[in-house]
Amino acid sequence: MKKGINFIDCLDIDLALSILMRLDNPADLVRASVVSQSWHHFVIANRLSKQLCLRMFPQIADLDQIVGPNNGKTSVNVESSNPMEWEILERDHKVYASLVRALTESKDNPKDCIACVIGASSTDREPEESVVNTLFPIDRYMWGGSYWSSKGQSNPDAAETLTYKLSADVCAVTEIDIRPFEVYWEPGSPVYSAKSVRFRMGHLKSPRKNEIDFWHFPLQQPANDKFLWSYTSPEFPMTQENHLQQFKLPEPVLCIGGCLQIELLGRAQREEIDGLFYICVCYVRVLGRPLSPAFVLQKSGELQLKYNPESFSFILKSSSHEEMGTVEPEEEAPWEHVCQLENLLQIQNIPDHPFVWNDDED
């Protein structure tokens, strides 16, 4: 360093790449790209920002392409000296550096990202035990419990799934929280939890169908063959306790397509009357950050992620300036959650259960 030797110029390209690819912080890589003109050229020409992004968030590999500003596609011959293609390389560098920064900073000030319910693999009694109830951080209404219940199974290893649509097609997800339901009217108030959970994220197989309307009513037994899952989490053990259980993902996950599925694996509690095993959940929360409007999934025959640089500073400010602190489950539920519940009750017309809110439930 005292002699001011530029090691990139002294080493062969493979060794220089091996050194710089050990940078695992996007800010460090951006700093490296402005050390000198030769470092700038080396980082951009070898697409180190893209390689770092793919290493940290392999879900990006499922994208057909990322579209930069002015609809420029990030596809270019690296060996070319064409000024236009070098401009595309520089744009490519900015897009991936911005994406990896947004993802790494998504751990700060997370918010609930669930927009609505897509469906459940089974429901014991509709609509009283609908999966829509899991959108609300309460365990009872004035007419009874607020929870989702699976159908009963004689096999304690039988799994169930709950599927949700997130608030944006591109979200960084950091944590999923689940509260099993305590059946307070049964002797001993048993908790009908799963034995473990696993999470999957992805999109509908046809990108054009991402605009399907899930708001009016949750689907019964949504077909898993309609989804492509780009991420599957490790399996997390669940305790048979009636509290909000937090499942932090090892790293933030880029959910491309805005679909998240909870796999409830195994059944911990048998119902005394019919002798069958059930799973009951009263609340689900998905924490993270929506990355729109800076990154938007384009609806076309391919999965394209469009980068809008003018909106990038907005999502960074919203992430750093919102004084969210610890996210409490008692926060006011988004209006779209309330609308989906109201729609459910009005469509089903529950007998002997008038749809009337009391003062505490307004």
Side-chain angles (χ1 to χ4, degrees):
M1 293 298 292
K2 290 181 180 180
K3 295 181 180 180
I5 297 175
N6 184 353
F7 74 85
I8 284 185
D9 292 338
C10 300
L11 301 176
D12 64 77
I13 186 171
D14 290 338
L15 188 52
L17 275 173
S18 178
I19 293 171
L20 289 184
M21 286 181 67
R22 279 168 168 72
L23 296 175
D24 56 5
N25 187 318
D28 291 337
L29 192 57
V30 171
R31 293 187 187 102
S33 70
V34 296
V35 167
S36 66
Q37 187 174 356
S38 64
W39 281 48
H40 181 73
H41 184 277
F42 188 88
V43 169
I44 292 177
N46 290 282
R47 294 183 165 179
L48 295 188
S49 291
K50 180 177 182 179
Q51 293 188 56
L52 174 62
C53 202
L54 286 170
R55 287 201 310 273
M56 296 180 69
F57 308 102
Q59 306 83 34
I60 296 171
D62 287 346
L63 290 168
D64 293 304
Q65 57 190 9
I66 294 183
V67 181
N70 304 319
N71 294 324
K73 299 176 182 178
T74 58
S75 177
V76 67
N77 178 10
V78 177
E79 302 299 328
S80 173
S81 59
N82 186 314
M84 185 65 70
E85 295 198 349
W86 177 254
E87 182 181 336
I88 295 175
L89 277 174
E90 287 189 308
R91 185 169 58 205
D92 181 271
H93 168 70
K94 292 177 182 178
V95 170
Y96 282 102
S98 299
L99 179 56
V100 75
R101 181 182 176 189
L103 286 164
T104 53
E105 293 189 9
S106 63
K107 297 178 182 179
D108 302 327
N109 297 324
K111 60 185 294 185
D112 189 354
C113 292
I114 291 182
C116 64
V117 168
I118 293 178
S121 53
S122 75
T123 300
D124 192 35
R125 292 185 301 144
E126 282 283 4
E128 297 97 320
E129 298 174 335
S130 169
V131 65
V132 173
N133 291 324
T134 65
L135 298 175
F136 301 92
I138 55 177
D139 64 355
R140 67 192 72 183
Y141 299 115
M142 65 179 181
W143 60 73
S146 170
Y147 63 98
W148 162 83
S149 174
S150 70
K151 289 186 178 298
Q153 296 281 352
S154 58
N155 179 9
D157 296 325
E160 297 283 349
T161 60
L162 307 178
T163 310
Y164 298 87
K165 185 74 176 67
L166 302 186
S167 56
D169 284 338
V170 184
C171 285
V173 178
T174 56
E175 177 181 323
I176 296 95
D177 301 337
I178 304 172
R179 181 183 175 188
F181 183 64
E182 178 183 73
V183 183
Y184 51 84
W185 59 84
E186 290 186 3
S189 299
V191 177
Y192 284 79
S193 69
K195 294 179 180 177
S196 60
V197 294
R198 188 166 55 210
F199 311 106
R200 298 197 287 185
M201 299 181 217
H203 56 87
L204 289 164
K205 284 186 176 180
S206 173
R208 293 182 181 275
K209 292 183 180 179
N210 272 340
E211 296 174 348
I212 188 171
D213 185 6
F214 293 119
W215 296 92
H216 292 299
F217 192 71
L219 303 177
Q220 297 304 303
Q221 299 181 350
N224 281 327
D225 59 1
K226 294 182 179 179
F227 297 89
L228 283 176
W229 305 112
S230 58
Y231 171 81
T232 301
S233 76
E235 188 173 325
F236 299 90
M238 175 174 271
T239 60
Q240 196 174 358
E241 299 173 353
N242 177 34
H243 64 83
L244 193 63
Q245 301 184 32
Q246 301 175 320
F247 304 100
K248 295 182 182 293
L249 301 176
E251 295 292 339
V253 175
L254 180 64
C255 181
I256 300 171
C259 296
L260 181 143
Q261 186 175 87
I262 298 173
E263 294 183 277
L264 301 161
L265 307 172
R267 300 163 186 245
Q269 183 67 39
R270 186 197 300 268
E271 213 273 341
E272 287 189 2
I273 297 176
D274 61 13
L276 300 178
F277 290 89
Y278 293 82
I279 300 175
C280 299
V281 173
C282 63
Y283 182 50
V284 171
R285 182 175 67 181
V286 176
L287 296 182
R289 301 293 304 188
L291 299 187
S292 60
F295 295 92
V296 179
L297 193 66
Q298 297 210 323
K299 306 295 191 298
S300 66
E302 296 180 325
L303 274 180
Q304 297 181 358
L305 190 65
K306 184 176 181 179
Y307 173 54
N308 300 308
E310 63 276 3
S311 302
F312 181 68
S313 59
F314 170 77
I315 66 167
L316 292 182
K317 288 179 182 178
S318 66
S319 176
S320 59
H321 290 178
E322 288 181 10
E323 298 180 358
M324 299 205 41
T326 302
V327 182
E328 297 294 337
E330 289 76 18
E331 289 179 348
E332 183 178 353
W335 274 112
E336 54 263 29
H337 294 183
V338 178
C339 292
Q340 195 176 34
L341 176 65
E342 182 179 14
N343 214 2
L344 171 74
L345 295 174
Q346 289 176 344
I347 289 173
Q348 289 298 299
N349 188 22
I350 306 175
D352 303 322
H353 289 114
F355 182 39
V356 179
W357 300 105
N358 64 24
D359 292 339
D360 293 335
E361 294 167 339
D362 278 349

